[in-house]
């Protein structure tokens, strides 16, 4: 990078990638998590965060060493920002000049347009980010900007044509079509330029060239623009010219509008994304199926979304075909290529439509905090996002029509390819297409790519026999070919002879779905007895990924024995090696493993294996829970060490990051424990995960695991466990706005614990009930109950400070009793520091900052709130960050820093949406409305307050309802005093009922309106 007159060396490739991430997003915060995802694409090492911070620190030092680079890279919150004017970055200068050039074209200023576009294109001095390792974000940016460059070239060529400079246009376009032979708009312009120069034959030759390429590569014909232009040229050539007039093709008509239209539409385009799996490099056959699907797409794509459903037996190659077809369609649907495995082969791990929508929206680049919690809203956002793009979507392993229907687009801008082991049919999607086995010739071709052309051609009869014995099933052929590829000394005849000698198995391979079982058996049988047992037990493992220590626990082996068995299974393609520590079974392999285990191993052995696995997992999770809830978790979950110390140590020192990486599988483990009858393991594991999920905002996970924990405790008849599950389930309902659910479960906890010999937990439940009263708007009741609990402080033991003080302080603050609230929160902070509890320290700080803010000490409040956020960044605790951000926005507004205030409110809202905290979202909306009003943006403020009122009403949150009504009343003050008064009266009724200090402001405003009415009356 050039800095003034100096060239800076940006260090290692990964360090360059960090700088590239900042450069393509100048002025925007790029979080450490974003950088980790980019550099390691979902497989970060344990040192990833530390490495990223080192790279960023090195870059900052490099820039700070030069006067022109002072302050160029800024550390902010949990990330970094390139604090430079975007116009100093070539890419953004290119965009500005390109946009100005487009406007000049629209205004008819062709000379100005030509100069701007040529200057923009001159900024490209080679491939973007050449030599920099590209992750998902940088890859999508390079693809997007390359598309922008090509559109700009086409627009410049169109300008040359309008200016009569056909030769300049032709030279530009020749380069484009050589590098991008499937780019139809460039061919349209090239044909026009050639014809207008008088090269009729060359123009038609260009048409023949693109037609041949499209037919060969995609199996489709040229688009309507090309066909129309060809007909116009042929017609013009056959029509005699009169009076020496020059017949021009296109002119300002359709052909000419192709490049201009593409350029003008580009403003609405989005950065392309590609989430398809790596295509099978040796994909063979299925040509007739692919051509039919491509033709069907072309037939319907202008009217409705093209939806193709492919079913077939296990191992028939449905996924490979779907990905191959999607790759062929990508040129026609260039904005997005998406893929999701719906796991429809079994009920346990099936992906529900809501979860699938979340994954697909994230693939499109929608931030997690923008994905709605409500299912219908999520469907609507998905369809809106697809309507903005030309996208191809692969829905793999669908279980039913009901599973895929919410995932289908509404507009004819996308094509969807669905695969399933079942025949699916739905009026909106049409019947499914059954994929047959391969033809004999296709099967031999597939074997050839597996074992080599020379070996197949040397023994054609043996090759034909091998594929016949495989039943022409692609998966069986690949497995057979893999055995040969790893045994160079074998002949094809040797394998054919072995398969012939195992006729019953091979005959079984030819029987519909059972063919996969036979193919897998050919790889399973050669295993040692120990490795066979490992493979069988892998089917018992809950979750999608497993480690060697987990396998050792499940099977009762040592770490060394488990790793040796896994290595053997990986070599035989029975297990997939994800990275150096994690493995995965294909879903069909899993089913095969389950069937084997059920038929081979006794129920007693299977249950013993699961017991060891659940013990091992609970032991590790409890070690992390001890860090998050020292002293508390062990008083509620008593677990005797399983004696698997070697396996626990092999995991390393478990951390919160380990829980984060394993979260999905751990949730599955809780569900599986209940389904398997391990009721104590189920509720204990759910409880051990609670604090982690709570501080990270995974409230849906808490609800799911604790519902199962509740059922497990009920099945076990454990009253104390039932009370615990109800209590912690209520905590998630509080944060997600289910007031009634929280109240019911907490009341149940109190009832269940009345006769308990335990003193602490019943007291805890009563204290939490005070929090629900506060959230429900019953502030006086909340304070009364909180003070009663505080008088029984000794019943809470060491944890009393964390249980009683925060909720009581919040209720006092809401009532305007700020001095009392401040004393309570300071006591909470003292307790947290005495007990070295970082979570409660940051929580107490944020509460103190909020009270200081409401007492009018804004600068002090800002310092305390920022300290709380800094501690969150350091510890990774995200709990209540949205509320802190919202308070910080209020403080900035108080100082007149309205832009910063707006940013904080908007961030608070996004965070609240991401964590499902609808009451916090309502609060953020109300404060955003007040800030917009302070900026003089009354119309926008009105809309925001309306949204806050709808949300607060839906979740029955009276305080935010009242505040939304007050915000709307302010809007109506000047335009409709009567309507303003009506809103103030409704707000005042709520505030008086709650006893909050906002009632005084409402009374004052109503008095002002009344006096204004008297003065202006008759």
């Amino acid at each position: 990078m050039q800095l003034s007159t100096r060239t800076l060396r940006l260090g290692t490739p990964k360090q360059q990638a960090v700088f590239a991430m900042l450069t393509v997003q100048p002025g925007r915060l790029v979080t450490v998590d974003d950088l980790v995802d980019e550099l390691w694409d979902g497989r970060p090492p344990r040192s990833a965060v530390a490495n990223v911070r080192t790279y960023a620190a090195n870059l900052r030092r490099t820039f700070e060493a030069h006067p022109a680079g002072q302050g160029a890279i800024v550390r902010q919150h949990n990330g970094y920002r390139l604090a430079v004017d975007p116009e100093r970055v070539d890419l953004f200068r290119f965009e500005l000049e390109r946009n100005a050039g487009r406007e000049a074209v629209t205004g008819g200023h062709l000379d100005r347009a030509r100069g701007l576009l040529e200057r923009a294109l001159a900024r490209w001095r080679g491939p973007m980010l050449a030599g920099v390792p590209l992750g998902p974000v940088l890859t999508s940016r390079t693809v997007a900007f390359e598309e922008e460059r090509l559109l700009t070239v086409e627009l410049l060529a169109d300008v040359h044509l309008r200016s009569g400079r056909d030769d300049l246009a032709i030279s530009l376009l020749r380069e484009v079509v050589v590098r991008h032979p499937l780019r139809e708009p460039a061919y349209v312009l090239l044909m026009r330029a050639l014809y207008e120069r008088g090269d009729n034959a060359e123009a038609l030759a260009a048409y023949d060239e693109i037609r041949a390429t499209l037919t060969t590569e995609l199996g489709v014909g040229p688009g309507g623009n090309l066909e129309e232009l060809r007909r116009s040229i042929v017609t013009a050539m056959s029509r005699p010219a009169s009076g020496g007039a020059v017949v021009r093709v296109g002119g300002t008509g359709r052909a000419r509008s192709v490049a201009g239209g593409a350029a003008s539409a580009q403003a609405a385009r989005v950065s392309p994304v590609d989430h398809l799996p790596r295509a099978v490099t040796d994909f063979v056959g299925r040509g007739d199926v692919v051509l039919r699907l491509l033709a069907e797409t072309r037939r319907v794509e202008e009217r409705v979304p093209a939806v193709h459903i492919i079913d077939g037996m296990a191992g028939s190659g449905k996924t490979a075909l779907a990905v191959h077809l999607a790759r062929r369609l990508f040129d026609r649907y260039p904005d997005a290529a998406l893929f999701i495995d719906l796991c429809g082969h079994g009920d346990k791990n099936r992906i529900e439509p809501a979860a699938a929508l979340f994954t697909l929206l994230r693939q499109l680049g929608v931030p997690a905090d923008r994905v709605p919690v409500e299912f219908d809203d999520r469907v609507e956002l998905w369809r809106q996002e697809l309507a903005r793009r030309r996208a191809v979507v692969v829905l793999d392993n669908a279980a039913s029509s009901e599973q895929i229907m919410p995932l289908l687009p509404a507009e004819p801008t996308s094509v969807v390819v669905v695969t399933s082991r079942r025949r699916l049919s739905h009026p909106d999607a049409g019947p499914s297409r059954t994929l047959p086995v391969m033809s004999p010739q296709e099967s031999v071709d597939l074997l050839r790519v597996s074992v080599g052309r020379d070996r197949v051609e040397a023994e054609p009869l043996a090759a034909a026999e091998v594929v016949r014995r495989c039943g022409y099933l692609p998966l069986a052929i690949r497995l057979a070919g893999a055995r040969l590829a790893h045994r160079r000394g074998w002949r094809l005849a040797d394998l054919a002879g072995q398969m012939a000698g195992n006729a019953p198995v091979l005959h079984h391979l030819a029987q519909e779905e059972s063919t996969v079982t036979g193919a897998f058996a050919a790889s399973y049988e050669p295993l040692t007895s120990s490795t066979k047992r490992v493979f069988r037990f892998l089917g018992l493992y809950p979750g999608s990924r497993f480690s060697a220590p987990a396998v050792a626990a499940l099977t009762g082996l040592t770490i060394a024995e488990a790793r040796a068995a896994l290595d053997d299974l990986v070599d035989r393609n029975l297990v997939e090696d994800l990275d150096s520590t994690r493995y995965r079974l294909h879903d069909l392999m899993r089913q095969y493993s389950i069937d084997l285990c059920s038929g081979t191993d006794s129920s007693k052995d299977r249950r013993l294996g699961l017991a060891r696995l659940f013990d091992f997992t609970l032991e590790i999770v409890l070690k992390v829970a001890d860090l998050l809830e020292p002293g508390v978790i062990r008083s509620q979950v008593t677990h005797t060490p399983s004696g698997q110390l070697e396996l626990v140590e092999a995991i390393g020192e478990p951390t919160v990051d380990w829980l984060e990486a394993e979260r999905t599988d751990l949730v599955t483990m809780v569900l599986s424990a209940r389904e398997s009858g391990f009721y104590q393991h189920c509720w204990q594991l759910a409880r051990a995960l609670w604090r982690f999920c709570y501080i990270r905002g995974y409230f849906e996970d808490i609800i799911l695991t604790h519902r199962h924990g509740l059922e497990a405790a009920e099945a076990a008849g454990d009253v104390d466990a039932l009370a615990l599950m109800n209590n912690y389930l209520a905590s998630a309902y509080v944060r997600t706005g289910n007031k009634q659910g929280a109240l019911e479960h907490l009341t149940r906890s109190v009832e269940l614990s009345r006769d308990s010999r335990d003193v602490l937990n019943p007291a805890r439940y009563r204290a939490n009930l005070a929090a629900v009263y506060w959230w429900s708007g019953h502030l006086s009741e909340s304070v009364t109950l909180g003070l009663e609990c505080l008088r029984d402080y000794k019943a809470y033991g060491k944890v009393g400070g964390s249980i009683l003080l925060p909720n009581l302080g919040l209720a006092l603050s809401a009532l305007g009793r700020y001095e009392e609230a401040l004393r309570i929160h300071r006591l909470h902070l003292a307790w947290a520091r005495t007990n070295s509890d970082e979570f409660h320290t940051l929580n107490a700080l944020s509460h103190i900052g909020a009270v200081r803010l409401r007492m009018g000490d804004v600068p002090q409040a800002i310092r305390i709130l920022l300290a709380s956020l800094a501690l969150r960044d350091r510890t990774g605790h995200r709990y209540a960050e949205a509320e802190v951000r919202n308070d910080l926005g209020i403080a900035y507004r108080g100082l007149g820093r309205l832009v910063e205030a707006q940013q904080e409110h908007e961030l608070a809202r996004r965070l609240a949406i991401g964590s499902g905290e609808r009451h916090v979202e309502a609060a953020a909306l109300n404060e955003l409305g007040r800030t917009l009003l302070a900026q003089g943006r009354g119309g926008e403020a009105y809309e925001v307050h309306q949204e806050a009122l709808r949300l607060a009403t839906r979740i029955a949150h009276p305080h935010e309802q009242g505040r939304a009504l007050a915000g709307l009343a302010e809007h109506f003050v000047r335009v409709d005093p009567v309507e303003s008064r009506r809103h103030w009266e409704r707000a005042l009724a709520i505030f008086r009922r709650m006893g909050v200090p906002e009632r005084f402001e409402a009374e004052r405003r109503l008095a002002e309106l009344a006096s204004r009415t008297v003065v202006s009356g008759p």
Side-chain angles (χ1 to χ4, degrees), residues 812 816-824 826 851-852 855:
L812 288 167
R817 294 160 64 174
Y818 299 129
E819 292 292 348
E820 296 170 80
L822 192 58
R823 284 199 299 274
I824 293 295
R826 282 172 169 168
V851 175
R852 283 288 186 191
M855 295 174 75

Side-chain angles (χ1 to χ4, degrees), residues 208-263:
D208 291 338
E209 185 178 294
I210 180 64
R211 182 184 62 180
T213 304
L214 289 169
T215 302
T216 302
E217 294 295 324
L218 300 181
V220 299
N225 290 330
L226 281 165
E227 285 288 1
E228 183 178 337
L229 180 54
R230 183 192 67 83
R231 287 194 297 270
S232 298
I233 292 173
V234 171
T235 301
M237 289 171 61
S238 63
R239 183 186 304 128
S242 60
V246 178
V247 179
R248 297 185 65 82
V249 178
T252 58
R254 179 160 184 160
R256 179 177 293 280
S257 70
V258 170

Side-chain angles (χ1 to χ4, degrees), residues 489-718:
W490 283 20
R491 297 179 303 127
L492 281 165
D494 296 330
L495 178 59
Q498 288 189 17
M499 296 175 79
N502 197 14
V505 173
L506 296 175
H507 177 71
H508 198 52
L509 285 173
Q511 300 300 314
E512 297 185 356
E513 289 198 358
S514 62
T515 55
V516 174
T517 303
F520 290 165
S523 295
Y524 170 79
E525 291 303 330
L527 298 173
T528 65
S529 59
S530 176
T531 306
K532 281 183 178 179
R533 182 172 178 274
V534 170
F535 179 74
R536 294 196 304 270
F537 271 58
L538 289 179
L540 300 175
Y541 188 87
S544 59
R545 306 175 309 155
F546 44 87
S547 65
V551 172
L554 181 65
T555 57
L557 298 175
T558 65
I559 286 287
E561 290 167 338
R563 283 182 176 145
L566 287 169
D567 286 344
D568 194 10
L569 292 170
V570 168
D571 289 342
R572 296 175 185 274
N573 293 312
L574 290 167
V575 168
E576 184 181 356
D577 185 1
L578 296 177
D579 53 39
S580 60
T581 61
R582 292 290 183 274
Y583 304 85
R584 178 173 62 193
L585 269 181
H586 185 277
D587 51 3
L588 297 178
M589 285 287 187
R590 177 181 295 279
Q591 187 57 59
Y592 176 60
S593 170
I594 291 170
D595 293 343
L596 282 173
C597 194
S598 298
T600 307
D601 302 284
S602 69
S603 59
K604 180 180 178 181
D605 285 345
R606 297 197 302 271
R607 189 167 180 81
L608 181 60
L610 284 173
R612 286 192 300 259
L613 176 64
F614 291 142
D615 277 339
F616 163 76
T617 305
L618 183 56
E619 202 162 329
I620 296 172
V621 174
L622 281 172
K623 290 185 72 172
V624 185
D626 277 333
L627 302 175
L628 300 176
E629 299 181 86
V632 177
I633 186 66
R634 296 291 182 173
S635 70
Q636 297 179 347
V637 177
T638 55
H639 176 71
T640 304
S642 60
Q644 303 177 88
L645 182 60
E646 176 202 15
L647 308 186
V648 174
E649 290 179 346
I651 292 290
E653 191 60 36
T655 62
V656 172
D657 289 338
W658 181 86
L659 283 184
E660 183 68 63
E662 300 294 326
R663 176 175 64 89
T664 302
D665 281 356
L666 288 170
V667 170
T668 303
M669 195 86 69
V670 174
L671 277 54
S672 177
R674 186 193 66 79
E675 292 165 0
S676 305
F678 288 89
Y679 299 130
Q680 187 172 17
H681 287 93
C682 172
W683 73 259
Q684 288 187 335
L685 189 54
R687 173 60 188 92
L689 289 169
W690 173 79
R691 174 64 78 180
F692 161 75
C693 292
Y694 196 71
I695 63 179
R696 291 290 171 103
Y698 297 130
F699 302 118
E700 289 183 355
D701 285 351
I702 294 175
I703 292 170
L704 180 61
T705 55
H706 283 67
R707 277 178 176 170
H708 281 263
L710 198 60
E711 293 179 20
E714 200 158 16
D718 190 329

Side-chain angles (χ1 to χ4, degrees), residues 3 9 43 61 79 99 144 157 165 247 254 267 298 307 336 363 373 375 378 424 634 795 803 820 860 885 913:
L3 185 64
R9 299 188 181 279
R43 298 182 179 180
R61 282 194 292 271
N99 292 339
R165 296 178 171 87
V247 179
R254 179 160 184 160
R298 291 293 296 272
V307 179
Q363 288 185 9
V373 175
F375 178 73
R378 196 172 288 188
L424 307 181
R634 296 291 182 173
I803 297 172
E820 296 170 80
Q860 178 72 354
R885 293 284 179 191
I913 292 172

Side-chain angles (χ1 to χ4, degrees), residues 274-293:
D274 182 356
H275 289 277
L276 292 176
R278 183 173 58 88
V280 177
T281 56
D282 52 10
F283 186 86
V284 298
R286 308 299 194 190
D288 57 337
V289 178
V290 172
L291 288 176
R292 284 199 300 271
L293 291 171

